[in-house]
Amino acid sequence: MAPLEEDDAEQEEELEEITLEDEEDVEPLRTAKDPKLPSAADVELHDRDHLPFRDWCKWCNLGRGRGTPHRHMRGSMVPIVGVDYLYITSAGVKKRNELEYDESEEGEVQLKEARDKGEIIKCLVIRCFETKNLWAHCVPVKCADEEDYAVGLVSAAVLWLGHLEVILNGDNEPALQAMVERTLTMLRVKVREGDPSVTLKKLSKDEPPKYDSQRDGGTEVGVRLVRGFFRTFNLCLEGQIGKFIPVQHPVIPWLLEHTAFL
């Protein structure tokens, strides 16, 4: 009988080991989200600025819901200020390549006509990669003065940041590159003239390689933030008043700057 008792003991030890191993491989239990909804007072308070993002907020999800963000590494020790253009239309906030107008001379003429009619609003987004400061402004149709208006906005933002060195960054859009060049010229003139408000010692431009969408990723972050928040605020405001807000309404420029401020 002794051998049988030894076999039984060995079998019990094996069963214990198997049980322990199985316990270690068990999938951990997942806890469901608390289904408790916010009170009416909490909703009203959140609707004032929509910060932070709340998954129970309809307007946050419609305006800012997206997939997993891309990670990026910092590539320059010199502060970079990125600039880009956006367009507010009745169908939402779009980039230039998302508009129905071709990126050609004829398409630019058609876009200009749509802007003259108030159907499309051109916007300028400025973002400092280091400090995360963000500006957004509507650019009015001012013929020859339009580019100078944008240059003044970018110059004011760069000087406000107070960096000793700055690299201006923009994508390959011709109009944007021309604006960056004029901004550099204006700032260099201020430096040469010894303007006391200027602390800049060195200015340069980041030459974006063609077909490289990751090079200006810091600017894209600012563009994405402005697009998402602006949609959130605009949709929420329209939902609150029960009316559609046309793009030429005076509240749009204020709402865009308020978006970047928040």
Side-chain angles (χ1 to χ4, degrees):
M1 297 298 292
L4 291 176
E5 292 176 357
E6 291 179 0
D7 291 343
D8 291 340
E10 290 179 358
Q11 289 179 0
E12 289 180 0
E13 289 180 0
E14 290 180 359
L15 288 173
E16 289 180 0
E17 291 179 0
I18 293 173
T19 303
L20 291 174
E21 290 177 356
D22 289 343
E23 287 178 356
E24 292 177 355
D25 293 339
V26 170
E27 181 74 16
L29 294 175
R30 296 182 180 181
T31 305
K33 291 184 177 180
D34 187 354
K36 179 183 177 181
L37 295 176
S39 64
D42 291 337
V43 173
E44 182 179 358
L45 182 63
H46 176 73
D47 281 346
R48 296 180 182 180
D49 56 13
H50 292 279
L51 290 171
F53 177 91
R54 296 300 186 195
D55 55 6
W56 47 257
C57 176
K58 172 183 177 181
W59 314 115
C60 280
N61 282 286
L62 287 174
R64 295 153 61 196
R66 61 183 303 272
T68 304
H70 295 286
R71 296 183 180 273
H72 64 279
M73 300 297 291
R74 179 173 178 176
S76 173
M77 296 304 294
V78 178
I80 299 176
V81 176
V83 293
D84 205 351
Y85 283 126
L86 286 177
Y87 297 86
I88 299 177
T89 72
S90 57
V93 186
K94 299 184 178 183
K95 294 286 295 279
R96 177 64 182 88
N97 58 3
E98 297 172 348
L99 297 176
E100 60 184 15
Y101 309 104
D102 296 332
E103 296 185 47
S104 60
E105 292 185 7
E106 182 180 356
E108 290 298 325
V109 171
Q110 294 174 347
L111 176 59
K112 177 67 163 50
E113 292 175 352
R115 293 182 60 205
D116 289 335
K117 296 177 183 177
E119 299 173 355
I120 295 179
I121 304 297
K122 187 176 183 179
C123 310
L124 175 67
V125 176
I126 310 167
R127 182 174 187 262
C128 175
F129 294 12
E130 180 177 344
T131 65
K132 314 303 181 187
N133 279 287
L134 184 66
W135 292 264
H137 305 277
C138 288
V139 180
V141 185
K142 302 178 70 174
C143 298
D145 296 331
E146 178 184 324
E147 290 302 321
D148 289 336
Y149 182 82
V151 167
L153 293 174
V154 177
S155 300
V158 170
L159 295 177
W160 183 87
L161 289 166
H163 295 311
L164 295 179
E165 298 182 52
V166 166
I167 297 175
L168 288 184
N169 173 276
D171 62 24
N172 288 301
E173 184 181 347
L176 192 61
Q177 284 297 309
M179 189 266 289
V180 169
E181 287 287 355
R182 296 182 70 174
T183 303
L184 289 172
T185 300
M186 175 181 287
L187 290 172
R188 284 168 180 157
V189 168
K190 288 180 176 290
V191 171
R192 285 198 301 268
E193 292 178 350
D195 191 327
S197 65
V198 179
T199 57
L200 282 167
K201 303 300 180 183
K202 184 177 180 181
L203 281 166
S204 59
K205 183 181 76 168
D206 187 13
E207 295 288 349
K210 293 184 178 180
Y211 314 115
D212 186 356
S213 60
Q214 299 300 321
R215 184 63 176 236
D216 56 348
T219 309
E220 289 298 323
V221 170
V223 169
R224 187 166 62 242
L225 287 171
V226 170
R227 293 179 72 168
F229 269 102
F230 182 82
R231 282 197 302 262
T232 299
F233 294 138
N234 195 39
L235 289 170
C236 182
L237 180 58
E238 291 178 342
Q240 294 283 354
I241 65 177
K243 294 182 179 180
F244 173 75
I245 301 175
V247 295
Q248 67 269 24
H249 195 282
V251 77
I252 295 298
W254 175 86
L255 186 59
L256 182 67
E257 295 190 8
H258 182 64
T259 297
F261 176 78
L262 290 176

